[in-house]
Amino acid sequence: GIQVEQSPPDLILQEGANSTLRCNFSDSVNNLQWFHQNPWGQLINLFYIPSGTKQNGRLSATTVATERYSLLYISSSQTTDSGVYFCAVHLQGAQKLVFGQGTRLTINP
Amino acid sequence: NAGVTQTPKFRILKIGQSMTLQCTQDMNHNYMYWYRQDPGMGLKLIYYSVGAGITDKGEVPNGYNVSRSTTEDFPLRLELAAPSQTSVYFCASSFGRLSSYNEQFFGPGTRLTVL
């Protein structure tokens, strides 16, 4: 089946720093979503981005479907950005999202 | 809209007990899903439903049952709880088939421990 790999697995930054999280996938996908799982365990939809670039405030994401990767950018990090960031992909014809193992981001004050 | 809601938030079960995890969505979504998340891992699909009366297995269905009698509700049943079912369970929904036009929305999760 499709492999979804996220890097780095862990990232520790100071408040105000910028970061780039990467998601590689091993097959063509129909859809890709980025989620933030906050310290209370809730999954929050960040981006729905099968291709192209989207921006939402300090966050932006780019998916290059032909090269099978997506990037999540976080600028001017805040402590509330801490948590685990997951990318999840959807294969055409399947009715499930396949999740990567996540990047754990810790923002220190 | 409340979105996707799940009850209970936390539960501890003894081995062999049974329970039902409740999931409700008020977005008039046709598709609903149950995932489990083991520590340090991403989510894996247990069951999904494409509409009332229709359910299908996901990657890890063993030990679970589901039903879908209404559009809004999609309960997940554990009949004989085992320690391997200790996990966080997430319910999700989408308006239609997952595609380049439909995204999934997740509930807050139920943390289940089986001792």
Side-chain angles (χ1 to χ4, degrees):
Chain A
I2 190 171
Q3 304 296 315
V4 181
E5 295 179 355
Q6 292 186 242
S7 59
D10 293 278
L11 189 57
I12 301 173
L13 298 172
Q14 292 298 121
E15 202 166 21
N18 301 330
S19 58
T20 300
L21 283 58
R22 188 176 180 101
C23 173
N24 291 336
F25 41 95
S26 61
D27 204 346
S28 298
V29 299
N30 216 28
N31 178 16
L32 185 143
Q33 289 186 239
W34 281 99
F35 297 90
H36 174 212
Q37 189 167 38
N38 64 24
W40 296 269
Q42 187 167 9
L43 278 169
I44 300 163
N45 289 39
L46 295 177
F47 293 103
Y48 170 79
I49 184 167
S51 63
T53 297
K54 291 187 178 180
Q55 179 144 13
N56 184 3
R58 295 181 296 105
L59 275 61
S60 65
T62 295
T63 297
V64 183
T66 52
E67 297 187 23
R68 300 182 184 170
Y69 73 90
S70 183
L71 301 173
L72 177 69
Y73 305 96
I74 305 173
S75 64
S76 304
S77 300
Q78 301 174 359
T79 55
T80 51
D81 295 330
S82 294
V84 182
Y85 290 81
F86 288 102
C87 75
V89 302
H90 165 239
L91 299 177
Q92 186 148 10
Q95 281 306 305
K96 67 176 182 180
L97 290 177
V98 178
F99 282 75
Q101 299 230 37
T103 291
R104 181 173 298 277
L105 178 65
T106 303
I107 304 297
N108 291 321
Chain B
N1 286 352
V4 181
T5 56
Q6 293 182 236
T7 57
K9 286 187 170 55
F10 306 94
R11 184 74 185 267
I12 299 175
L13 285 181
K14 294 182 179 178
I15 294 172
Q17 285 185 319
S18 60
M19 78 163 292
T20 300
L21 282 66
Q22 302 292 345
C23 175
T24 300
Q25 54 87 14
D26 63 358
M27 297 177 282
N28 203 29
H29 284 175
N30 295 309
Y31 285 62
M32 296 186 75
Y33 312 80
W34 275 105
Y35 290 86
R36 59 177 285 172
Q37 182 182 26
D38 297 330
M41 306 290 286
L43 282 66
K44 291 189 176 179
L45 184 67
I46 305 171
Y47 271 96
Y48 68 96
S49 168
V50 304
I54 307 171
T55 63
D56 208 347
K57 295 179 180 178
E59 294 175 87
V60 289
N62 291 344
Y64 306 96
N65 282 302
V66 293
S67 59
R68 182 98 182 269
S69 56
T70 67
T71 300
E72 294 79 19
D73 301 307
F74 189 39
L76 177 72
R77 179 113 180 125
L78 284 71
E79 291 294 349
L80 289 170
S84 61
Q85 293 178 304
T86 294
S87 191
V88 181
Y89 292 84
F90 288 96
C91 180
S93 71
S94 63
F95 180 72
R97 291 181 63 83
L98 285 185
S99 68
S100 55
Y101 303 102
N102 282 309
E103 58 183 300
Q104 282 191 0
F105 296 89
F106 284 78
T110 294
R111 185 175 297 273
L112 177 67
T113 302
V114 182
L115 301 174

